[in-house]
Amino acid sequence: MNYKNIEGSVTAAKGFKASGVHCGIRKNKSKRDLGLIYCETKCTAAAVYTTNLVQSSPITICRKNLANGYAQAVIANSGNANTCNADGDMKAQQMCELAARELGIDADDVIVASTGVIGQILPIEPVADSMKQLVSELSEENEGASNCAEAIMTTDTVKKESAIETTIGGKTVKLGGISKGSGMIHPNMATMLCFVTTDAAISAEMIQKAVKTAADNSFNMISIDGDTSTNDMLSVMASGLAGNEKITCEGEDYDAFVEALTAVCRELSRKMAKDGEGATKLLVCKVSGAKTEKDAKGVAKSVICSSLLKAAMFGSDANWGRVLCAIGYSGCDVDVHKVDVSFASSAGKIDVCKNGAGIEFSEELAKEILTENEIDIIVELGDGESSAEAYGCDLTYDYVKINGDYRT
């Protein structure tokens, strides 16, 4: 590991400021609902998006704006997804123009995002009326980043922030990110919303490649409820102010950047999974001994997606048969007669299955282990050298309550 965790998030890297205000999209005046991230210089930038055929208007506009590989700001709202609306593209474009006008930059250099209820018209007036305040409150301090993180929350119960420091080409490079997401999370690209900033110098082509790699090994390994959102987006902006020699091809510097970016994304992934709607526990499925990376990822994701397993973890029930069941229908190349399963937490570790068959174990110890709020489900396939991790949460009564009256 060639990086270390540091305090902060999207303003940790050189050149970035952030802010968040309550503009009025959300009825609750105590909740911020409009966030802004701004860089003093134009950045190389890239993003990955949801694979859902129903996509938000902000994604349409972002694809257009990021086609040249550059951006300088992010404007994002919560409380309304701006999805499936006849005027959605126009509203998303207006958000870019409002931010750009106040910041004195080009509207094509603005990344726009929305999250919230689908199919409701997004009022643009609150955004317009609050833009001056939003820009005036931009800050490079942690408070600005924290306010922005709060502004993109919907059913989240905690803000999700992460920052790390690494060395690339002899220069200190920082990366930081914020994300939101508690429900409708089964990404096939990134996450609900995630914005990462860095002061690394990297070309537009290589940052796009790095973003895809990081997403595949972090956000694409989360599942909370099996629903892929219409608004999923992970974007990364790089200011280049760290002073490292610009990364323009694969090699040692590129590998260091990808490692650091993946680390930020994995930390945010864990925080999202732990804060799943109604969740009481973070579940991490750690798979080793797979024939290929694809098989390792497929098994880990299948286990973490199992509603039966998630319910068992809520009840602290060491029902390892549900792990085997999920492996069996994963579609991966697995010899089920070689599979070992263990459960682990801060309370210890217990083996529950060897070579695809049950073994004697202490139900009392298993219960104690599974009562903790972070559980590792350890799967050894015994067939190769590849490994992977997937992130999820338990399935509780509150998940149904939250989503039963989400609009009301």
Side-chain angles (χ1 to χ4, degrees), residues 72-88:
Q72 198 167 349
V74 175
I75 182 73
N77 73 273
S78 61
N80 187 305
N82 193 15
T83 301
C84 299
N85 296 326
D87 65 351

Side-chain angles (χ1 to χ4, degrees), residues 158-230:
V158 295
K159 289 178 279 191
K160 300 164 181 70
E161 303 177 84
S162 178
I164 67 168
E165 182 178 288
T166 189
T167 302
I168 297 178
K171 301 292 185 179
T172 298
V173 171
K174 295 181 179 180
L175 301 90
I178 59 174
S179 67
K180 64 83 50 185
S182 289
M184 197 183 279
I185 295 183
H186 183 75
N188 195 11
M189 57 86 249
T191 178
M192 282 288 289
L193 291 181
C194 179
F195 309 113
V196 177
T197 59
T198 178
D199 47 23
I202 182 170
S203 70
E205 179 183 3
M206 297 313 293
I207 197 172
Q208 180 67 63
K209 184 179 180 68
V211 169
K212 179 64 168 62
T213 299
D216 283 345
N217 290 291
S218 57
F219 295 119
N220 282 346
M221 298 303 293
I222 308 174
S223 184
I224 288 175
D225 50 20
D227 277 307
T228 299
S229 171
T230 58

